[in-house]
Amino acid sequence: MEWRDKIGTFKQIDVRGIQGNFFQGLKRQAMELSVGSGLEIIQSFDPIPLYEVMEGLGFEHYTEQKGDAEFHAYFCRVEVKQEEKDIP
């Protein structure tokens, strides 16, 4: 994944303290990104449900665990897809 060297330019969104479903707002932001752009999502667990949904929008992902309850998931848009998948 040659985009990994650009993750420092991705918009960082820390969702660890957010109550309720933040996903719709996150998806809206993701859908506005152009190919080559990305998001860094910080969560207290490995955000596995996000992977499939973001792939459906044309993103690849890479995740690093930086602490017991700190995961940084990087999503880079590699193509524009508008697949409607939601996290249940």
Side-chain angles (χ1 to χ4, degrees), residues 44-72:
S44 56
F45 57 88
D46 192 355
I48 293 168
L50 269 181
Y51 300 156
E52 184 180 349
V53 176
M54 295 293 278
E55 283 172 21
L57 294 172
F59 288 80
E60 289 181 352
H61 73 271
Y62 160 68
T63 304
E64 288 181 318
Q65 183 171 358
K66 299 202 176 184
D68 285 343
E70 185 176 342
F71 290 80
H72 292 243

Side-chain angles (χ1 to χ4, degrees), residues 7 10-13 26-27 29-31 33 37-41 54 59 73-77:
I7 59 178
F10 290 2
K11 179 177 181 179
Q12 190 179 79
I13 304 172
L26 185 65
K27 188 166 91 170
Q29 289 189 57
M31 290 174 75
L33 292 175
S37 299
L39 292 172
E40 175 184 358
I41 308 301
M54 295 293 278
F59 288 80
Y74 304 95
F75 295 93
C76 183
R77 193 158 215 179

